[in-house]
Amino acid sequence: MTSRRSFLKAASTGSLLATLGPRAARTADLRLNEIEARIARRDFRALIKEDLPTPSLILDSEIFDQNLRRMAEHSKATGLKLRPHVKIHKSVDVARRQLGLGAIGLTTATIAESELMSSSGLKGVFWTRQPAGRNNITRAVALSKRDSTFLLVVDDPIIAELVEQAAASAGARCTVVVDVFAGLTRHGMQSGRPALELAQKVDASKHLRLHGLMGYSGGASHTRGWEERRKKSCDDLAGLLETVELCRKSGLPVNIVSGGSTGTYNIDTENGLTELQCGSYIFMDTGYRKVGGKSNAAVYDDFGAALTVMTTVVSKRHPNQCTIDAGNKALLRPTDEAKGMPWITVENQGAEYGILKWKDGDRDLKLGERVELYPTNLDMSVNVYDRIYVARGEQIIDVWPIMGRSGAPQR
Amino acid sequence: MTSRRSFLKAASTGSLLATLGPRAARTADLRLNEIEARIARRDFRALIKEDLPTPSLILDSEIFDQNLRRMAEHSKATGLKLRPHVKIHKSVDVARRQLGLGAIGLTTATIAESELMSSSGLKGVFWTRQPAGRNNITRAVALSKRDSTFLLVVDDPIIAELVEQAAASAGARCTVVVDVFAGLTRHGMQSGRPALELAQKVDASKHLRLHGLMGYSGGASHTRGWEERRKKSCDDLAGLLETVELCRKSGLPVNIVSGGSTGTYNIDTENGLTELQCGSYIFMDTGYRKVGGKSNAAVYDDFGAALTVMTTVVSKRHPNQCTIDAGNKALLRPTDEAKGMPWITVENQGAEYGILKWKDGDRDLKLGERVELYPTNLDMSVNVYDRIYVARGEQIIDVWPIMGRSGAPQR
């Protein structure tokens, strides 16, 4: 059991009252309902980060804008088209900005994400997980019928056959990309002749239209070291490119060759892809920052860390540590990092609790203080929130809904 | 790269078409919109598990009812009251059933969960994380004003002071429980004199009403082996019980002594608690089943595994493995288990992908086949879904919304 002295060391009253006191008057009336009402009428004038409930997802708009522009410029300069991945943000607002800067469409992981983007009027949605099961096949065919720019993949003649049958019975025509193995055994038809035969089957199907090929080298995206990543991506994509050649020689249409990730955006220009599926570049996370960049081997800093989880210190009873109100459900992880406080380490604690630790001599965190954390994995962190608060400095300037999550009706 | 033969081994067409064919006719019209419309009008007659999108959360109503009854009977037999934890289900429907069987209230982890339950008319909500930060203090005081049965905790004189100030300014009176350290450094005032002094401070505060004490021995809940768990719980709660004695001797009211978990429900009858905060018993997960029970050292089977995540096989290109549409976002974990298929092992793969593996000779899973997984951690699995589908056998008989999740406005 901890000593009384160490228990009480933390409880030196006064500092918190001083911290909370002055602002409390200004925003005493800013109850949650009022904040919600302001957001609904898009009146953000008096809304600052301090007013928000925690844990909350916060986007630094300046860094985000820089990230968007940087990737758009890269795409323009290299001629490698960008079809950014939606799973990172699940936000129509973010997608609109990406398309506004020249992206040719959007890449999605689920039929729900695809429906969300397409029904918002966004074109060129490319769903990269083949439909399997009646629910997904029916929805993919229905979406193809509503939106002729929607693309779906197959990696199996069985699915090609089922989609053809469903499209025939729905009077639809589906535009199909053949998914070719590129290192991850979770999906992709074997490259070379098997993939060629699948492409031929698609091309010969009355209600399917062959559009091209894809291959996702997921192993390359997080390989540490730019040269190592380059080698991995090159190796993984060799079979895809061989298949592209085979298809072209056979007279099949190959309008797109899609692949790549934020980790390989400046690598796959060499690898014969026509378009990139990058997603994480818009926000970045601690996982990506550690893989190292081309110009900075230690930190991958081509894109800035724009997204944080805002938390509050909810208990402070032991020296050199405090408890925050972000836990497993906020997807707190020991690899998260505290913004502006590199001396802090993060520990899991439970559903709604996390612990931050520091060493003697570091600045103490106080009860009620707010701490922003850089999350480790964007896909998952964004997935558990309903919205992103967009900030310029301390000021909230926008709120974007996150949709199409793991909720069953949204699949 | 995998050999062509192994790639194509899986793709023996026919079996899937045969599987999907017959049912397809029956439910060809069961599009997602129609399923949603039926759910909205609570017409579940023709709805079966097979119709649901995946991944989906499925509750076995029979096992669930047994679990509810078993805990209710234990509570009646021992006189140890039950105030079940809401964080496991975040469902008003589940909470109503618990209260209907005699629970004296509900335990919550967040203010959002508390508001959700109280605003649904459920009484005796006990929020066990002290309010810190303006947002939570304001909401806790407002809830106390609206609902005199709402209980909140403090583990710090600073928070007691801030709640007193906020209650005074709102003209409210808050009923407060002192949170005493019970082994987890994430919260709880040191037991003995420090906790007594905090209780005295609460009791002396004009707008606070001292109701009792709590201590959560989180380390005990998942200690393997019933006897080891018993010892751990006893050790962890000793300080709490010493504090209860001190408070009683000092003439302070101790109406409740709250604590415990599903892991210690049949242990803490010995430990001087007056009520239990158990949550997981209603659904159970693979984590809890492995800690061992009093009567069964290998498997903790006092309560049955009632909750599964329904998934679909979405790719089948390699021998002895298949890809399912539940990944990190569905909180798939290597410690999950496939229902009815103990030979299957589970592997993480990415945001929307998981891999199931088996050995030569085991039954193969086929493309499009459905697999139900027992999740490892209930809190987190439930948190990413919008609803629970309640099943009796294959038939869906109810759908319960999950609310108060990590979404910021719900905090």
Side-chain angles (χ1 to χ4, degrees):
Chain A
M1 198 156 292
T2 317
S3 76
R4 186 183 175 192
R5 199 164 59 89
S6 61
F7 254 87
L8 295 185
K9 185 180 164 188
S12 56
T13 325
S15 53
L16 177 73
L17 294 173
T19 309
L20 290 189
R23 295 202 175 198
R26 193 192 76 80
T27 46
D29 60 338
L30 262 191
R31 300 258 174 103
L32 191 73
N33 292 344
E34 295 176 40
I35 292 177
E36 289 302 303
R38 286 183 188 207
I39 290 170
R41 62 176 192 263
R42 307 189 66 69
D43 168 15
F44 305 112
R45 275 171 302 175
L47 200 61
I48 58 171
K49 276 156 75 169
E50 185 76 22
D51 295 322
L52 303 179
T54 56
S56 284
L57 217 48
I58 313 279
L59 184 64
D60 181 312
S61 64
E62 276 180 79
I63 300 175
F64 171 71
D65 287 342
Q66 277 166 20
N67 291 346
L68 281 186
R69 280 198 304 272
R70 177 144 202 174
M71 187 61 90
E73 283 158 15
H74 172 78
S75 173
K76 204 175 248 178
T78 59
L80 194 56
K81 300 281 191 288
L82 181 64
R83 198 187 300 264
H85 213 303
V86 154
K87 69 172 179 163
I88 302 302
H89 55 72
K90 292 175 176 281
S91 157
V92 171
D93 302 86
V94 172
R96 285 216 176 93
R97 279 159 178 81
Q98 293 175 312
L99 291 164
L101 285 171
I104 59 165
L106 301 162
T107 304
T108 55
T110 67
I111 187 66
E113 289 174 1
S114 314
E115 290 167 339
L116 171 68
M117 293 299 150
S118 175
S119 66
S120 302
L122 308 183
K123 298 299 176 195
V125 172
F126 176 28
W127 180 28
T128 59
R129 194 180 73 198
Q130 73 176 357
R134 202 171 45 241
N135 178 285
N136 276 198
I137 290 174
T138 309
R139 286 162 73 179
V141 168
L143 185 54
S144 297
K145 199 170 176 179
R146 287 200 302 277
D147 177 358
S148 63
T149 72
F150 172 62
L151 311 172
L152 61 95
V153 302
V154 298
D155 79 6
D156 199 306
I158 301 179
I159 298 296
E161 184 64 36
L162 288 172
V163 174
E164 165 65 19
Q165 286 174 15
S169 106
R173 196 132 189 242
C174 299
T175 310
V176 174
V177 172
V178 168
D179 179 10
V180 182
F181 175 77
L184 287 181
T185 65
R186 69 193 187 197
H187 60 93
M189 176 52 104
Q190 189 188 10
S191 62
R193 187 145 295 276
L196 171 67
E197 286 168 5
L198 179 56
Q200 286 169 327
K201 180 178 174 61
V202 168
D203 192 54
S205 296
K206 203 171 157 194
H207 300 86
L208 309 184
R209 192 188 292 122
L210 180 67
H211 191 59
L213 302 171
M214 77 155 265
Y216 177 59
S217 166
S221 71
H222 279 72
T223 297
R224 287 199 185 206
W226 192 83
E227 281 298 345
E228 292 77 4
R229 207 148 68 239
R230 186 179 176 189
K231 183 174 180 328
K232 173 78 175 149
S233 188
C234 184
D235 291 350
D236 280 357
L237 292 177
L240 170 65
L241 302 183
E242 176 207 335
T243 312
V244 170
E245 279 313 297
L246 273 177
C247 287
R248 288 201 169 125
K249 275 186 195 149
S250 304
L252 293 172
V254 185
N255 304 322
I256 66 168
V257 184
S258 178
S261 63
T262 293
T264 62
Y265 85 106
N266 58 359
I267 287 171
D268 291 332
T269 45
E270 307 168 10
N271 282 333
L273 300 184
T274 67
E275 59 179 65
L276 287 178
Q277 303 175 355
C278 310
S280 300
Y281 73 96
I282 55 168
F283 297 153
M284 293 298 282
D285 60 31
T286 65
Y288 252 129
R289 289 181 71 78
K290 286 185 183 114
V291 304
K294 186 177 180 181
S295 56
N296 181 345
V299 181
Y300 178 25
D301 57 6
D302 294 20
F303 304 95
L307 196 79
T308 54
V309 174
M310 170 88 88
T311 71
T312 300
V313 176
V314 294
S315 188
K316 180 73 199 74
R317 299 245 53 83
H318 303 268
N320 298 339
Q321 73 171 61
C322 69
T323 308
I324 55 171
D325 61 354
N328 296 335
K329 285 185 183 175
L331 295 171
L332 180 97
R333 293 178 167 202
T335 43
D336 292 350
E337 293 171 16
K339 181 178 174 181
M341 291 180 265
W343 61 87
I344 297 280
T345 58
V346 174
E347 277 187 16
N348 290 91
Q349 265 295 307
E352 303 288 355
Y353 291 96
I355 286 188
L356 304 183
K357 292 193 173 177
W358 55 89
K359 293 199 174 73
D360 268 332
D362 292 334
R363 177 171 89 68
D364 269 19
L365 290 173
K366 293 187 171 47
L367 191 55
E369 187 169 345
R370 295 201 159 200
V371 184
E372 286 181 70
L373 299 178
Y374 292 122
T376 300
N377 182 309
L378 286 176
D379 303 12
M380 293 176 65
S381 295
V382 171
N383 190 54
V384 293
Y385 292 89
D386 291 322
R387 55 172 63 153
I388 298 177
Y389 293 97
V390 186
R392 186 177 295 137
E394 292 304 306
Q395 177 69 41
I396 301 302
I397 58 169
D398 214 342
V399 175
W400 297 337
I402 299 163
M403 298 173 75
R405 295 188 308 188
S406 287
Q410 296 181 325
R411 288 276 170 186
Chain B
M1 195 159 294
T2 317
S3 76
R4 185 184 175 194
R5 199 163 60 89
S6 61
F7 253 86
L8 295 185
K9 185 181 165 187
S12 55
T13 324
S15 54
L16 178 72
L17 294 173
T19 309
L20 289 189
R23 295 203 176 199
R26 193 191 76 79
T27 46
D29 61 338
L30 261 192
R31 298 260 174 101
L32 192 72
N33 292 344
E34 295 176 40
I35 292 177
E36 288 303 303
R38 286 182 189 207
I39 290 170
R41 63 176 189 264
R42 307 188 67 69
D43 167 16
F44 305 111
R45 275 172 302 172
L47 201 61
I48 59 171
K49 275 156 77 167
E50 185 76 22
D51 296 321
L52 303 180
T54 54
S56 284
L57 217 48
I58 313 280
L59 184 63
D60 182 312
S61 64
E62 275 179 79
I63 300 175
F64 171 72
D65 287 341
Q66 277 167 19
N67 291 346
L68 281 186
R69 280 198 304 272
R70 178 144 200 172
M71 187 62 90
E73 283 158 14
H74 173 79
S75 173
K76 203 175 252 179
T78 59
L80 194 55
K81 300 281 190 288
L82 181 64
R83 198 188 298 265
H85 213 303
V86 154
K87 69 171 180 166
I88 302 302
H89 55 72
K90 292 173 176 281
S91 157
V92 170
D93 301 86
V94 173
R96 285 216 176 96
R97 280 160 179 80
Q98 293 175 312
L99 291 164
L101 286 171
I104 58 165
L106 301 160
T107 304
T108 56
T110 68
I111 186 65
E113 289 173 0
S114 314
E115 290 167 340
L116 171 69
M117 293 298 150
S118 174
S119 66
S120 301
L122 307 183
K123 298 299 176 195
V125 172
F126 176 27
W127 181 27
T128 58
R129 195 180 73 198
Q130 74 176 357
R134 201 172 45 244
N135 178 285
N136 276 198
I137 291 173
T138 308
R139 287 162 73 180
V141 168
L143 185 54
S144 298
K145 198 171 174 179
R146 288 200 301 277
D147 177 358
S148 65
T149 71
F150 172 63
L151 310 172
L152 60 96
V153 302
V154 298
D155 78 7
D156 200 306
I158 301 179
I159 298 296
E161 185 63 37
L162 288 171
V163 174
E164 165 65 19
Q165 287 174 16
S169 109
R173 195 131 190 245
C174 300
T175 311
V176 174
V177 173
V178 168
D179 179 11
V180 182
F181 175 78
L184 287 181
T185 64
R186 69 191 187 200
H187 60 94
M189 175 53 103
Q190 189 188 11
S191 61
R193 189 145 296 278
L196 170 68
E197 286 168 7
L198 180 56
Q200 286 168 327
K201 180 178 174 62
V202 168
D203 192 54
S205 297
K206 203 171 158 194
H207 300 86
L208 310 183
R209 192 187 292 123
L210 180 68
H211 191 59
L213 302 171
M214 77 155 263
Y216 177 59
S217 166
S221 70
H222 279 74
T223 297
R224 287 200 185 205
W226 192 81
E227 281 298 345
E228 292 77 2
R229 206 149 67 240
R230 186 180 178 189
K231 182 175 180 329
K232 172 78 174 150
S233 188
C234 184
D235 291 351
D236 280 358
L237 293 177
L240 169 65
L241 301 184
E242 175 206 335
T243 311
V244 169
E245 279 314 296
L246 273 178
C247 287
R248 289 201 168 126
K249 275 185 198 150
S250 303
L252 292 172
V254 184
N255 304 322
I256 66 168
V257 184
S258 179
S261 63
T262 294
T264 62
Y265 85 107
N266 57 359
I267 287 170
D268 291 332
T269 43
E270 306 169 11
N271 281 333
L273 300 184
T274 67
E275 58 179 66
L276 287 177
Q277 304 176 356
C278 309
S280 301
Y281 73 95
I282 55 169
F283 298 153
M284 293 298 282
D285 59 31
T286 66
Y288 252 128
R289 289 182 71 79
K290 287 185 183 112
V291 305
K294 185 176 180 182
S295 57
N296 181 345
V299 180
Y300 177 25
D301 57 7
D302 294 19
F303 304 96
L307 195 79
T308 54
V309 174
M310 169 88 88
T311 72
T312 300
V313 177
V314 294
S315 187
K316 180 73 201 71
R317 298 245 53 83
H318 303 267
N320 297 340
Q321 72 170 62
C322 69
T323 309
I324 54 171
D325 62 354
N328 296 334
K329 286 184 182 176
L331 297 170
L332 179 98
R333 294 178 167 201
T335 42
D336 292 350
E337 294 171 17
K339 181 177 173 181
M341 291 181 264
W343 60 88
I344 297 280
T345 58
V346 174
E347 278 188 16
N348 290 93
Q349 265 295 307
E352 303 287 356
Y353 292 97
I355 285 187
L356 305 183
K357 291 192 172 175
W358 54 90
K359 293 200 176 73
D360 269 331
D362 291 336
R363 178 171 88 70
D364 269 20
L365 290 173
K366 294 188 170 47
L367 190 56
E369 187 169 346
R370 296 201 158 200
V371 183
E372 286 181 69
L373 299 178
Y374 292 122
T376 301
N377 182 309
L378 286 176
D379 302 13
M380 294 176 65
S381 294
V382 172
N383 190 53
V384 292
Y385 293 89
D386 292 322
R387 56 172 64 153
I388 298 176
Y389 292 96
V390 186
R392 185 177 296 136
E394 292 304 305
Q395 177 69 40
I396 301 301
I397 58 168
D398 213 341
V399 175
W400 298 336
I402 300 162
M403 298 173 76
R405 295 188 309 188
S406 287
Q410 296 181 324
R411 288 277 169 184

